């Protein structure tokens, strides 16, 4: 849903602050597109409505898009929400429309850190938002960001404590990332420090795991039974279809992505065309390599054959053997790229 | 051709004082190049020359004026090419001294004028750019009188740009400069004062006939080289080449003799006719010796054969640089190259990159040291890695220069400081006029090749000028500084420096490398050492984080490409003591300017 009140200056997503007038037409285009795709789809096991800010638009037409899809019994349906948008009414509407889970963009529980990130919601908005979601029976994920300007280790601890106090089902903790083309990229004085982020990552890992949240991907922790199924699909080379502008899909071995603006997306759909901007199909070897690179990031790790013995020796302490798999250690998670660049195609057998 | 109607001249001028503009104007005024065909800097045919506005290779051109013929022999305008200047002067009876009326005479121009006077050449002095607001022709003329003894009132005033006074200048050349002398019936003796390689014609030499007559088709003896070649074509340039049957005494032209390598037709060579050979060659031949050395390595090791081929080709056209293969643990396979000076080094490197499409790493420039060992032997080295262990070194001699700097008096203090910082010893300080001073210092060559010229220019807003000549060898307290990466010496960063500067060099190199070497999976110590003693140290702390936080549906393709790029980058890195060093680090660390 590519519409925001305000653009956070670290954000590189396809989203706009001046196109709210397009929202109705855009949502209708999404609905028409979903209806067109539905006959070719197997029952859908998960849906993820991301942003932009999906919690800003009228829930009725948003849920109408969902209604077009052949959603399977017991599917996971997540909507990203800003804390200030999520009240009891919206939460109830979501639940009634088939939504099972909300992912709330909390980022920090420290006011000056939120400020530095360019987030405009008050810290106090988070508790009521979580309560609203709980009241409607929704699963709750909290998104956190560490490494903003002026954030101390103690600030980060405050944020972790604040999140745990609300007893979410799932926590995602992301290091602030400098994306090219953003205002943040243009201001090196605010770029995060790798060592500081490394410390904070380990803090997150310590606190979340001690509180019963199991690590299952670089930046994701969940209570038992609450891992995000949709994300697991991404990391296990599963199939998913794209809906909406700038969305990505993966089907039958092809990765494809949609046109970037909501207007062009609506134009294409209204004209009866597929709004695809580009696609790629990898050779089988490259595909297997991509599969292990993705899997490396998760608790599942990679087959032992994916890492040559010489590299295994060079990476002592970063990976450990678990059965016939190699899995990142805690320190190894932080250096996952160093490990990933050494992975090789494990071959057909794996 | 009647000798009385002939004049052979060179123009002596500092860079930017307008020599090339004057040459262009003369070509246009004499009518041999029409204004329509005129392109700026007609005689500078090499791209680099036109870009840098300087002349490197000599050209000569025949200009008709008032029933006379003036042969204008171009001279290079930089101190590295002093030997080429002396060759062109040997082919002349007179020179035009061209001085920017706003700048006054410069060090190297003065040195070349002294050279002209030593050769008994007539000097016609003129001031250029008199139409510029900053011009001060009266002061400038007085200065010329003071330093060269040419009466101020005889100094001509021109604007090469507008053409004002250029006709008068040509008149003065005919009136004041004597015609050449020579015996048409004597055995042929012709001086080669330049050779360049033309890919269609082979070597084309510029020649001045001193005695006798050179005829097309004759069998010619190259007396110093000891070889015989047929004169396939002789001719004159006006300015395009025109074949002629013969060149008589006093005449200047070109010779094509089926030679493939400029080294076989070197400047200073004497050519005679085998039918009636001369007994003695002309005097003054010498081989210019390289003074500055550096290693040139392809950034991409696969380009080594291309580099070899490029050097071979370039040497066809420039026999004054030398090269031989060498290998470096850090940089792989490359060549040790010798040059006449720093500009020469820069030009050769730039031509290799530009004309042959190569990307090169150049090591820090070095000079040739004489190392006296404790065993009593003497080793000459131009590469720090050839230095015997310090324990076996008794003493080291290094080459010295005498440098002459002409400067406005305001900058005397800062230039004295520069010379002293560079271990200079003052020889003299002399006022040329109330505003201008000549500083003369003895300075080690090694101190001059590391950005002395740039420092001098920036300290004086470009107003000071430099000339230098070799001034023998002397023992200095020199040491070799090694740079170690993870305890392993990196040969490319070794440097021979004065004992008192060792720590400074070591510290700067360690600091620079700390910025340039990416963090690795372990702490990397960077050390500088003299003998076994560590004199500076830095540490690149182990890398702790490189992971991308997010990898969802839309990030997967991007992330895969990023990993591919990182993998590619890794392949191109050099591994030194388990440390992966990107080539860019070598390029930046070896850059001189910071």
């Amino acid at each position: 849903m590519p519409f925001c009140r305000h653009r956070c200056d670290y954000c590189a997503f396809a989203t706009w602050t001046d196109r709210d007038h397009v929202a109705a037409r855009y949502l209708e285009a999404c609905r028409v597109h979903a209806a067109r795709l539905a006959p070719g789809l197997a029952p859908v096991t998960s849906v993820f409505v991301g942003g932009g800010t999906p919690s800003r638009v009228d829930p009725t037409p948003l849920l109408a898009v969902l209604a077009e899809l052949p959603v399977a019994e017991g599917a996971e349906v997540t909507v990203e929400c800003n804390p200030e948008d999520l009240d009891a009414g919206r939460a109830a509407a979501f639940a009634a429309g088939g939504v099972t889970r909300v992912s709330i963009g909390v980022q920090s529980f420290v006011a000056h850190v939120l400020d530095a990130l360019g987030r405009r919601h008050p810290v106090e908005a988070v508790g009521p938002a979580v309560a609203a979601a709980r009241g409607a029976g929704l699963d709750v994920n909290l998104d956190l960001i560490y490494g903003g300007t002026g954030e101390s280790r103690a600030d980060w601890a405050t944020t972790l404590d604040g999140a745990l106090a609300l007893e979410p089902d799932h926590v995602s903790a992301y290091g602030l990332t400098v994306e090219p083309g953003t205002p943040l990229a243009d201001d090196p004085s605010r770029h995060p420090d790798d060592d500081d982020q490394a410390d904070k990552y380990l803090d997150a890992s310590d606190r979340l795991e001690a509180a019963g949240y199991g690590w299952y991907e670089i930046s994701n922790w969940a209570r038992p039974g609450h891992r995000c199924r949709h994300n697991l699909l991404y990391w296990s080379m599963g199939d998913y279809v794209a809906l909406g502008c700038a969305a990505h899909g993966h089907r039958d071995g092809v990765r494809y992505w949609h046109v970037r603006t909501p207007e062009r997306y609506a134009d294409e759909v209204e004209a009866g065309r597929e709004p695809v901007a580009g696609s790629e199909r990898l050779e089988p070897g490259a595909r297997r390599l991509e599969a292990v690179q993705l899997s490396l990031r998760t608790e599942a790790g990679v087959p032992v054959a994916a890492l040559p013995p010489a590299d295994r020796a060079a990476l002592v302490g970063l990976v450990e053997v678990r059965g016939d798999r190699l899995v990142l250690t805690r320190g190894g998670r932080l250096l996952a790229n160093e490990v990933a660049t050494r992975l090789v195609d494990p071959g057909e057998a794996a | 051709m009647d000798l009385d109607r002939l004049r052979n001249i060179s123009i002596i001028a500092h860079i930017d004082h307008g020599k090339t503009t004057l040459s262009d104007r003369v070509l246009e005024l004499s009518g041999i190049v029409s204004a329509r065909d005129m392109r700026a800097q007609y005689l500078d045919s090499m791209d680099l020359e036109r870009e840098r506005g300087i002349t490197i290779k000599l050209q000569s051109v025949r200009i008709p004026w008032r029933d006379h013929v003036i042969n204008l022999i171009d001279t290079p305008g930089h101190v590295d090419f002093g030997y080429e200047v002396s060759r062109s002067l040997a082919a002349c009876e007179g020179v035009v001294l061209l001085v920017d009326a706003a700048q006054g005479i410069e060090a190297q121009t003065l040195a070349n004028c002294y050279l002209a006077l030593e050769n008994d050449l007539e000097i016609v002095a003129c001031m250029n750019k008199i139409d510029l607001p900053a011009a001060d022709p009266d002061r400038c003329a007085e200065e010329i009188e003071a330093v060269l003894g040419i009466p101020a009132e005889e100094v001509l005033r021109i604007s090469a740009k507008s053409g004002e006074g250029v006709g008068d200048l040509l008149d003065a050349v005919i009136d004041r400069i004597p015609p050449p002398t020579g015996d048409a019936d004597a055995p042929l003796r012709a001086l080669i004062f330049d050779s360049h390689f033309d890919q269609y014609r082979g070597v084309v030499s510029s020649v001045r006939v001193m005695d006798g007559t050179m005829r097309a088709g004759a069998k010619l003896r190259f007396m110093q080289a000891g070889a015989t070649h047929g004169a396939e074509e002789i001719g004159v340039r006006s300015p395009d080449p025109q074949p002629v049957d013969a060149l008589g005494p006093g005449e200047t032209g070109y010779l094509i003799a089926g030679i493939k390598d400029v080294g076989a037709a070197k400047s200073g060579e004497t050519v005679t006719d085998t039918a009636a050979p001369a007994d003695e060659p002309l005097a003054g031949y010498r081989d210019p010796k390289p003074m500055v050395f550096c290693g040139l390595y392809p950034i991409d090791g696969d380009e080594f054969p291309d580099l070899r081929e490029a050097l071979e080709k370039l040497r066809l056209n420039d026999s004054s640089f030398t090269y031989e293969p060498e290998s470096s643990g850090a940089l792989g396979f490359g060549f040790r190259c010798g040059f006449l000076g720093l500009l020469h080094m820069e030009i050769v490197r730039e031509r290799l990159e530009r004309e042959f499409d190569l990307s090169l790493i150049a090591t820090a420039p070095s000079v040739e040291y004489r190392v006296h060992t404790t065993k009593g032997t003497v080793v000459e080295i131009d590469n720090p890695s050839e230095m015997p262990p310090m324990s076996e070194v008794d003493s080291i001699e290094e080459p010295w220069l005498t440098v002459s700097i002409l400067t406005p008096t305001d900058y005397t203090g800062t230039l004295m400081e520069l010379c002293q910082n560079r271990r200079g010893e003052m020889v003299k300080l002399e006022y040329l006029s109330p505003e201008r001073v000549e500083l003369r210092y003895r300075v080690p060559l090694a101190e001059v090749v590391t950005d002395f010229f740039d420092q001098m220019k920036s300290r004086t807003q470009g107003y000071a000028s430099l000339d230098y000549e070799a001034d023998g060898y002397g023992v200095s307290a020199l040491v070799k500084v090694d740079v170690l990466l993870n305890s392993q010496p990196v040969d490319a960063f070794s440097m021979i420096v004065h004992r008192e500067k060792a720590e400074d060099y070591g510290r700067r190199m360690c600091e620079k490398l700390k910025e340039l070497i990416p963090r690795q999976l372990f702490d990397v110590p960077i050390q500088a050492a003299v003998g076994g003693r560590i004199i500076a140290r830095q540490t690149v702390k182990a890398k702790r984080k490189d992971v991308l936080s997010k990898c969802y549906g839309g990030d997967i393709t991007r992330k895969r490409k990023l990993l591919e790029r990182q993998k590619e980058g890794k392949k191109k890195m050099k591994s030194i003591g388990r440390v992966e060093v990107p080539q860019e680090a070598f390029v930046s660390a070896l850059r001189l300017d910071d």
Side-chain angles (χ1 to χ4, degrees):
Chain A
M1 241 7 85
F3 309 105
C4 287
R5 259 176 219 98
H6 158 77
R7 193 178 185 98
C8 304
D9 72 357
Y10 55 85
C11 169
F13 285 115
T15 187
W16 286 268
T17 55
D18 57 354
R19 301 200 184 177
D20 288 359
H21 56 280
V22 186
R25 180 185 165 213
Y26 174 72
L27 281 166
E28 174 59 11
C30 290
R31 193 195 61 75
V32 169
H33 193 204
R36 198 190 294 160
L37 293 171
L41 297 180
V44 171
T45 52
S46 65
V47 179
F48 196 96
V49 185
T53 316
S55 56
R56 273 192 78 212
V57 300
D58 183 353
T60 310
L62 182 68
L63 296 166
V65 179
L66 202 56
E68 297 289 352
L69 296 170
V71 178
E73 186 65 31
E76 172 196 280
V77 180
T78 307
V79 178
E80 284 192 333
C81 296
N82 274 10
E84 66 269 39
D85 296 332
L86 192 58
D87 55 19
R90 194 175 292 261
F94 281 163
V99 175
T100 64
R101 182 174 182 268
V102 289
S103 173
I104 304 175
V106 173
Q107 324 311 1
S108 173
F109 281 95
V110 178
H112 74 86
V113 176
L114 279 179
D115 246 14
L117 289 170
R119 300 291 295 194
R120 301 216 166 152
H121 67 263
V123 168
E124 300 74 35
V126 179
V130 172
R134 290 297 190 207
L138 299 172
D139 262 27
V140 172
N141 168 55
L142 301 182
D143 269 358
L144 306 177
I145 293 182
Y146 54 91
T149 316
E151 182 190 58
S152 64
R153 288 276 290 278
D155 289 336
W156 177 235
T158 302
T159 292
L160 289 168
D161 290 345
L164 290 172
L166 295 172
E167 302 186 338
D169 303 293
H170 187 286
V171 175
S172 299
Y174 303 113
L176 177 64
T177 303
V178 180
E179 298 287 352
T182 58
L184 178 63
D186 293 337
D187 185 359
S189 70
R190 290 191 292 140
H191 288 188
D193 175 74
D194 280 346
D195 293 337
D196 175 62
Q197 287 200 330
D199 289 337
K200 288 173 179 169
Y201 180 87
L202 296 177
D203 289 345
S205 172
D206 286 344
R207 282 175 190 253
L208 294 170
E209 287 155 36
Y213 293 81
W215 173 78
Y216 73 103
E217 194 261 357
I218 300 289
S219 305
N220 288 284
W221 290 263
R223 284 179 161 171
H226 291 275
R227 291 179 180 185
C228 176
R229 274 181 265 158
H230 193 78
N231 289 343
L232 287 168
L233 193 70
Y234 291 141
W235 303 321
S236 59
M237 302 292 276
D239 278 358
Y240 46 95
V241 294
L243 261 185
C245 63
H248 285 240
H250 178 230
R251 258 182 117 173
D252 308 324
V254 176
R255 295 199 182 280
Y256 67 98
W257 46 94
H258 284 170
V259 296
R260 190 164 167 88
T261 70
E263 288 95 336
R264 285 194 55 213
Y265 176 79
D267 288 346
E268 294 297 300
V269 171
E270 287 163 11
R273 294 189 291 264
E274 272 306 295
V276 173
S279 66
E280 66 170 7
R281 178 191 286 281
L282 297 182
E283 294 309 307
R287 220 174 126 69
R288 287 193 297 267
L289 180 59
E290 184 178 83
V292 292
Q293 285 172 351
L294 287 169
S295 188
L296 174 72
R297 295 174 61 91
T298 69
E299 193 205 23
V302 298
V304 170
L307 193 65
D311 290 294
R312 227 175 296 159
L315 298 173
V316 164
L318 302 186
V319 288
E320 61 191 8
V321 179
R322 277 196 212 155
D324 60 348
R325 308 287 287 184
L326 287 171
V327 183
L328 293 172
T329 62
R330 237 165 59 107
R333 292 184 219 160
L334 282 164
L335 291 166
N337 273 18
E338 180 70 41
V339 182
T341 52
R342 296 166 188 258
L343 292 175
V344 295
D345 170 13
E348 305 270 3
Chain B
M1 165 119 213
D2 181 355
L3 285 188
D4 287 340
R5 293 184 180 280
L6 206 55
R7 301 291 182 275
N8 292 306
I9 64 159
S10 275
I11 302 174
I12 294 179
H14 192 70
I15 300 162
D16 291 340
H17 281 205
K19 183 181 63 178
T20 305
T21 313
L22 176 61
S23 307
D24 288 350
R25 204 58 58 237
V26 166
L27 292 183
E28 203 179 279
L29 202 63
S30 64
I32 56 170
V33 177
S34 70
R36 191 166 48 88
D37 294 340
M38 198 68 213
R39 59 174 198 266
Q41 307 185 8
Y42 195 94
L43 295 179
D44 289 353
S45 53
M46 208 188 295
D47 280 352
L48 257 175
E49 296 189 351
R50 212 169 281 132
E51 258 171 47
R52 293 184 170 225
I54 54 171
T55 310
I56 301 159
K57 297 304 290 182
L58 303 180
Q59 298 272 6
S60 73
V61 63
R62 189 179 174 97
I63 292 152
W65 189 253
R66 268 184 28 196
D67 300 329
H68 287 67
V69 165
I70 300 172
N71 282 313
L72 175 60
I73 293 160
D74 208 357
T75 55
H78 190 277
V79 62
D80 286 356
F81 304 100
Y83 178 59
E84 300 206 21
V85 176
S86 70
R87 283 176 286 169
S88 53
L89 294 185
C92 301
E93 279 74 41
V95 297
V96 169
L97 165 63
L98 184 70
V99 177
D100 183 326
Q103 308 274 336
I105 196 163
E106 307 282 6
Q108 197 199 334
T109 318
L110 191 58
N112 288 337
C113 281
Y114 289 147
L115 196 61
L117 290 172
E118 279 168 26
N119 285 283
D120 291 325
L121 303 189
E122 186 65 34
I123 298 177
V124 174
C126 73
M127 286 171 293
N128 190 19
K129 309 192 189 181
I130 52 163
D131 48 345
L132 287 186
D136 189 354
D138 293 336
R139 183 183 69 75
C140 187
E142 278 164 28
E143 195 175 283
I144 291 173
E145 179 168 335
V147 296
L148 288 169
I150 297 169
E153 60 273 15
E154 281 182 23
V155 179
L156 300 170
R157 299 176 179 209
I158 69 164
S159 164
K161 201 169 162 215
S162 72
E164 185 186 345
V166 174
D168 297 339
L169 174 63
L170 292 176
D171 288 345
V173 164
I174 288 170
D175 297 339
R176 294 193 208 163
I177 291 176
T181 56
D183 181 353
D185 300 323
L188 171 66
R189 286 202 300 179
L191 171 75
I192 292 180
F193 59 88
D194 176 53
S195 286
H196 75 270
F197 183 79
D198 178 289
Q199 70 176 113
Y200 302 109
R201 306 301 311 266
V203 172
V204 181
S205 300
S206 293
V207 293
R208 157 74 194 264
V209 178
M210 299 308 217
D211 289 313
T213 304
M214 180 185 285
R215 293 177 200 287
K219 279 184 77 179
L220 299 179
R221 181 84 184 153
F222 286 60
M223 297 178 80
Q224 278 94 348
T228 302
H229 303 279
E232 289 177 6
E233 182 179 317
I234 59 177
V236 294
R237 295 190 186 95
S238 59
D240 297 316
Q242 290 175 356
V244 296
D245 292 332
L247 287 172
E251 289 198 87
T252 303
Y254 67 86
L255 162 68
I256 297 171
I259 297 169
K260 297 293 172 223
D261 169 3
V262 286
K266 284 184 180 171
S267 308
E269 174 70 76
T270 303
V271 176
T272 188
D273 193 327
T274 54
D279 295 332
E280 287 289 320
L282 298 161
Y285 177 86
R286 71 185 167 96
D287 244 342
K289 276 196 67 177
M291 294 173 77
V292 180
F293 301 82
C294 80
L296 289 179
Y297 291 82
I299 287 184
D300 176 354
D302 294 345
E303 284 187 348
F304 177 75
D306 302 331
L307 175 57
R308 178 194 295 275
E309 200 184 313
L311 286 166
E312 280 167 7
K313 280 194 182 147
L314 207 56
R315 205 179 135 79
L316 292 180
N317 211 355
D318 179 358
S319 61
S320 57
F321 82 90
T322 59
Y323 65 94
E324 54 187 61
E326 70 170 6
S327 70
S328 148
L331 303 175
F333 290 100
F335 292 92
R336 194 75 190 165
C337 302
F339 308 94
L340 299 179
L342 263 193
L343 179 74
H344 188 213
M345 177 170 94
E346 251 176 69
I347 286 168
V348 168
R349 183 186 162 183
E350 229 175 291
R351 289 187 65 184
L352 288 170
E353 296 203 315
R354 194 180 299 201
E355 294 169 29
F356 299 92
D357 200 22
L358 297 165
S359 300
L360 301 175
I361 297 178
T363 63
S366 172
V367 300
E368 194 163 65
Y369 297 96
R370 290 183 190 149
V371 181
H372 298 261
T373 66
T374 47
K375 295 178 193 126
T377 58
V378 180
V379 196
E380 293 200 341
I381 63 166
D382 58 38
N383 185 342
S385 66
E386 295 164 354
M387 177 72 89
M390 289 314 278
S391 57
E392 294 170 21
V393 173
D394 181 50
S395 65
I396 304 173
E397 281 185 279
E398 63 177 334
W400 285 68
L401 298 178
T402 295
V403 304
S404 157
I405 302 174
L406 296 200
T407 176
T409 48
D410 296 355
Y411 304 115
T412 312
T414 180
L415 289 174
M416 287 171 68
E417 185 189 66
L418 172 65
C419 290
Q420 272 148 20
N421 288 346
R422 300 307 179 95
R423 300 191 277 135
E425 298 164 359
M426 188 188 274
V427 178
K428 76 168 183 184
L429 184 158
E430 188 178 319
Y431 282 83
L432 304 179
S433 68
E435 294 87 24
R436 301 243 296 166
V437 70
E438 180 186 5
L439 290 171
R440 226 166 230 278
Y441 272 84
R442 288 189 76 240
V443 185
L445 173 59
E447 297 284 346
V448 177
V449 300
T450 43
D451 86 337
F452 182 90
F453 187 73
D454 292 340
Q455 279 287 324
M456 180 193 84
K457 284 290 177 190
S458 72
R459 282 168 182 244
T460 63
Q461 274 85 48
Y463 280 113
S465 61
L466 175 74
D467 189 62
Y468 61 71
E469 57 186 334
D471 194 5
Y473 272 71
V475 171
S476 300
L478 300 171
V479 294
K480 178 183 167 207
V481 180
D482 289 314
V483 175
L484 297 88
L485 213 52
N486 205 21
S487 306
Q488 180 133 329
V490 186
D491 54 7
F493 297 141
S494 292
M495 181 108 162
I496 295 168
V497 297
H498 193 264
R499 183 177 298 283
E500 283 171 13
K501 297 188 172 188
E503 206 178 307
D504 182 57
Y505 173 78
R507 200 177 45 239
R508 272 194 304 131
M509 214 55 188
C510 289
E511 284 167 5
K512 234 184 203 183
L513 287 171
K514 188 187 175 191
E515 296 306 313
L516 291 168
I517 290 174
R519 296 170 73 173
Q520 315 272 318
L521 291 174
F522 45 90
D523 283 358
V524 177
I526 304 169
Q527 296 158 306
V530 171
R533 194 168 61 87
I534 303 297
I535 56 172
R537 182 192 167 104
Q538 292 281 342
T539 304
V540 178
K541 299 293 284 178
K543 162 169 86 170
R544 290 188 57 201
K545 170 184 171 286
D546 67 7
V547 67
L548 284 184
S549 259
K550 290 192 178 191
C551 185
Y552 299 113
D555 306 314
I556 292 173
T557 297
R558 210 159 60 112
K559 175 168 163 72
R560 199 194 66 239
K561 287 181 177 162
L562 179 87
L563 289 175
E564 279 166 9
R565 273 202 307 280
Q566 288 180 351
K567 231 180 199 172
E568 269 316 295
K570 235 181 210 184
K571 263 193 227 155
K572 288 192 183 141
M573 290 197 196
K574 221 66 352 112
S575 185
I576 297 173
R578 284 174 60 229
V579 181
E580 289 176 338
V581 185
Q583 291 287 41
E584 180 51 36
F586 290 110
V587 176
S588 304
L590 290 168
R591 206 167 278 152
L592 287 173
D593 48 5
D594 45 31

